[in-house]
Amino acid sequence: MLDCINMDPALKQAWLSVDEPVERQLVRLIAVASQWDQLLLLWDRLAARCKDEQRHASATEQQILARCLALHNLVWHEHQASLQPVQTGTPFDPLSHERGTLHGDTVSAQWLPGLRNAAGQLQRKPLVRT
């Protein structure tokens, strides 16, 4: 995951100190990426990219999100935070989905899965193309 972050200039700047040894960067990455607030900020950054570029999150971006979620879940024993996917063909519901495009009544693609916290509350709605 450290290599993925290092290849993403915006995430590298936000999460890592440039002048640290690799071992220290790894410790910093684990400490930062495992925090729920940072996970929400990561989702926000990725969603903004997807909206600006009108695209799905890349495989690397999705991998970073999933791995950060896995790090966060190491803190919890009984409950786990999770990604909230959405199926294509689902009717668009503004209470359940965040629109990445302006028009449409049906989800035609998921750009980024949503986030549910360890209590099961939807904190970020899935970002979709309609």
Side-chain angles (χ1 to χ4, degrees):
M1 187 165 95
L2 182 59
D3 290 338
C4 292
I5 298 294
N6 275 317
M7 290 188 302
D8 187 306
L11 292 178
K12 181 178 180 178
Q13 181 180 351
W15 285 5
L16 302 176
S17 180
V18 178
D19 296 330
E20 290 182 320
V22 172
E23 297 83 11
R24 180 72 178 172
Q25 287 182 352
L26 183 58
V27 171
R28 181 179 302 281
L29 176 61
I30 292 168
V32 171
S34 63
Q35 297 175 35
W36 183 250
D37 289 345
Q38 290 297 318
L39 191 59
L40 293 175
L41 289 172
L42 171 63
W43 191 96
D44 292 342
R45 282 186 183 108
L46 297 179
R49 290 179 187 181
C50 292
K51 288 177 186 178
D52 290 346
E53 299 170 19
Q54 293 291 289
R55 63 168 177 85
H56 301 290
S58 71
T60 300
E61 291 167 336
Q62 290 183 45
Q63 185 178 46
I64 290 169
L65 182 64
R67 288 183 176 179
C68 289
L69 181 65
L71 284 173
H72 171 74
N73 280 335
L74 290 174
V75 175
W76 301 97
H77 298 286
E78 294 181 24
H79 303 289
Q80 300 281 292
S82 61
L83 296 174
Q84 176 67 43
V86 64
Q87 295 292 325
T88 58
T90 303
F92 177 77
D93 177 2
L95 298 176
S96 302
H97 309 120
E98 182 171 331
R99 192 187 299 266
T101 53
L102 297 177
H103 305 291
D105 296 326
T106 305
V107 173
S108 60
Q110 173 182 278
W111 285 356
L112 191 62
L115 287 175
R116 285 195 179 276
N117 66 16
Q121 300 165 327
L122 187 61
Q123 299 285 296
R124 295 294 186 269
K125 297 181 265 186
L127 180 63
V128 300
R129 181 182 71 208
T130 54

